[in-house]
Amino acid sequence: MNDGKDTKNYFKPVIEREDYESGNSCRFCNNISKDTSEGNEEKMVQLCLCAKEKSVGHLSCLKEVYEKKMNQYALSNVFTTTFNRQFCGECKCELPLTVKLKEKVLEMIKIPRDSLKDGRPYIVFETISNLKHDYKSLYLIWASEKSHTITIGRKKDSNLRILHRSVSREHGEIEYFASCFHIRDFRSKYGTAVQVREPVSYTHLTLPTIYSV
């Protein structure tokens, strides 16, 4: 991840859908879409793998479903958004977080990237889980004039507190310098893997290790 850009997993899969203009009603509100303006969130789109008459819905209705059990709060240089993952009750497909209509990508979960002043650099972390009906967290992290270091761990005073057994009490830190974000692991029990795409020999790693992101 580079400064000013998000992790790609949050935007994957970007569900590419054409607006679905038919007599079928929304799976959430049971109403039929009437607005056909380009990019309008009231358009009807297919949201899962079910037959079209069961899978279509308004994007605004899907947003409301996510927002019902969403929590957002800020602490230091970290803005946290937590919400429940949503699944179709029939095909068990996970409902999308982002939908692409023609050339426009619409996000169901809004994180306040645009509110950062002076175009300051930021990154977005997310929790990834294979468990269904689990919650997900998004962490907007930015560099400020006062502090360029974000601590990670299970401790209460951690800037980025993650309550998971794979995370140590003092797991590591994120630091911004030389126009880039870096992750430093504090010899945590389970370590820190950053976009490992190829096999890496442990003999090539030294501790503590700093990764550029």
Side-chain angles (χ1 to χ4, degrees):
M1 294 170 290
N2 295 322
D3 51 315
K5 296 183 179 179
D6 303 322
T7 55
K8 297 302 182 182
N9 286 323
Y10 171 55
F11 293 100
K12 286 185 177 180
V14 173
I15 307 299
E16 201 161 341
R17 295 284 187 250
E18 293 295 330
D19 51 290
Y20 189 65
E21 299 175 1
S22 74
N24 292 306
S25 59
C26 172
R27 62 184 296 166
F28 303 112
C29 69
N30 294 322
N31 292 325
I32 298 175
S33 178
K34 297 180 180 179
D35 195 321
T36 58
S37 60
E38 185 176 354
N40 191 283
E41 293 183 6
E42 292 303 312
K43 277 193 172 184
M44 199 84 77
V45 297
Q46 187 176 358
L47 299 174
C48 65
L49 301 178
C50 291
K52 285 186 177 180
E53 60 270 15
K54 296 181 179 180
S55 65
V56 295
H58 298 132
L59 295 185
S60 59
C61 292
L62 179 59
K63 263 187 173 184
E64 290 178 5
V65 170
Y66 277 116
E67 290 173 355
K68 281 182 180 179
K69 295 187 177 180
M70 183 176 68
N71 185 27
Q72 293 183 315
Y73 57 92
L75 178 64
S76 185
N77 293 15
V78 181
F79 187 92
T80 301
T81 301
T82 60
F83 57 93
N84 284 2
R85 299 165 68 191
Q86 301 294 329
F87 296 85
C88 173
E90 294 190 24
C91 70
K92 310 303 180 184
C93 174
E94 184 171 2
L95 300 184
L97 289 173
T98 52
V99 176
K100 185 175 182 181
L101 286 176
K102 296 181 179 179
E103 298 301 320
K104 188 174 182 180
V105 176
L106 302 174
E107 300 177 11
M108 302 300 102
I109 301 292
K110 279 290 185 181
I111 48 180
R113 299 183 295 270
D114 298 336
S115 64
L116 297 179
K117 298 178 180 179
D118 305 324
R120 64 185 56 178
Y122 69 87
I123 53 177
V124 177
F125 282 4
E126 69 170 313
T127 57
I128 300 175
S129 174
N130 292 325
L131 299 175
K132 289 197 173 183
H133 304 294
D134 195 7
Y135 71 90
K136 180 183 281 287
S137 297
L138 298 172
Y139 304 98
L140 173 65
I141 303 169
W142 65 89
S144 68
E145 297 178 356
K146 295 181 179 180
S147 176
H148 286 188
T149 302
I150 304 296
T151 57
I152 308 171
R154 294 200 321 270
K155 289 179 62 176
K156 289 185 178 181
D157 59 352
S158 298
N159 300 128
L160 179 51
R161 192 184 185 201
I162 304 176
L163 299 177
H164 192 273
R165 60 186 179 184
S166 65
V167 179
S168 301
R169 284 175 53 80
E170 296 182 355
H171 193 94
E173 66 181 18
I174 301 169
E175 188 174 7
Y176 183 79
F177 61 88
S179 301
C180 190
F181 285 95
H182 304 262
I183 297 179
R184 178 182 290 107
D185 189 283
F186 290 160
R187 301 192 180 190
S188 58
K189 182 177 180 180
Y190 292 102
T192 302
V194 180
Q195 294 184 346
V196 178
R197 302 180 186 276
E198 301 290 339
V200 178
S201 172
Y202 285 108
T203 58
H204 294 164
L205 299 179
T206 58
L207 296 176
T209 304
I210 301 177
Y211 299 95
S212 296
V213 295

